[in-house]
Structure formats: C-alpha cells, structure tokens
Amino acid sequence: MNSKEIGEIIKKRRQELKVNQLTLSELAGIGTNTLVAIERGTGNPTLDKLLSVLDTLGLQIDVKLKD
C-alpha cells in the first residue's frame, strides 16, 4: 500500500462520517494543510500525525513482513 492509497482511504472514511477537513484536523491535532497533503498522498507526515488521523477516524494500519 502506498501513500496515495492511504490518503484515499482516509478521505473516503472522513466523507462517510460527514466530517470536513478542518474539523478532522482539529480533532486529530494536526494542521489542515497536513491533512490535505495526507489525503492527496503527497504529504510526508510523521508517524504520530498519521496515527492520530487514523485513530480519530477509527482506522488502523497493520504492519506485516513482505512475502
């Protein structure tokens, strides 16, 4: 999974919950510009910021070894 795919999942989940970007960024404790970049797949957020967004949306990332 790449950053663009992660961003698309985050954006889709945010829209399903009917939350705008400003509200999500405030709830997650990150800047709006950072959230926009994450959703576009162009950002390079710290792991803490990414996990905060995911947690706020009720999402998680699972890490596994490559096959």
Side-chain angles (χ1 to χ4, degrees), residues 21-33:
Q21 289 175 325
L22 178 60
T23 301
L24 177 56
S25 65
E26 290 173 350
L27 291 171
I30 66 168
T32 305
N33 290 338

Side-chain angles (χ1 to χ4, degrees), residues 1-23:
M1 181 173 289
N2 62 39
S3 59
K4 187 159 182 79
E5 292 169 325
I6 292 170
E8 289 171 0
I9 291 167
I10 289 171
K11 182 177 181 177
K12 181 180 176 186
R13 177 68 174 157
R14 177 180 60 76
Q15 291 172 336
E16 288 172 354
L17 295 173
K18 295 179 175 47
V19 176
N20 64 37
Q21 289 175 325
L22 178 60
T23 301

Side-chain angles (χ1 to χ4, degrees), residues 9-10 13-14 16-17 19 24 27-28 50-62:
I9 291 167
I10 289 171
R13 177 68 174 157
R14 177 180 60 76
E16 288 172 354
L17 295 173
V19 176
L24 177 56
L27 291 171
L50 180 59
L51 291 175
S52 179
V53 171
L54 293 171
D55 186 55
T56 302
L57 293 172
L59 299 170
Q60 69 182 30
I61 288 182
D62 292 326

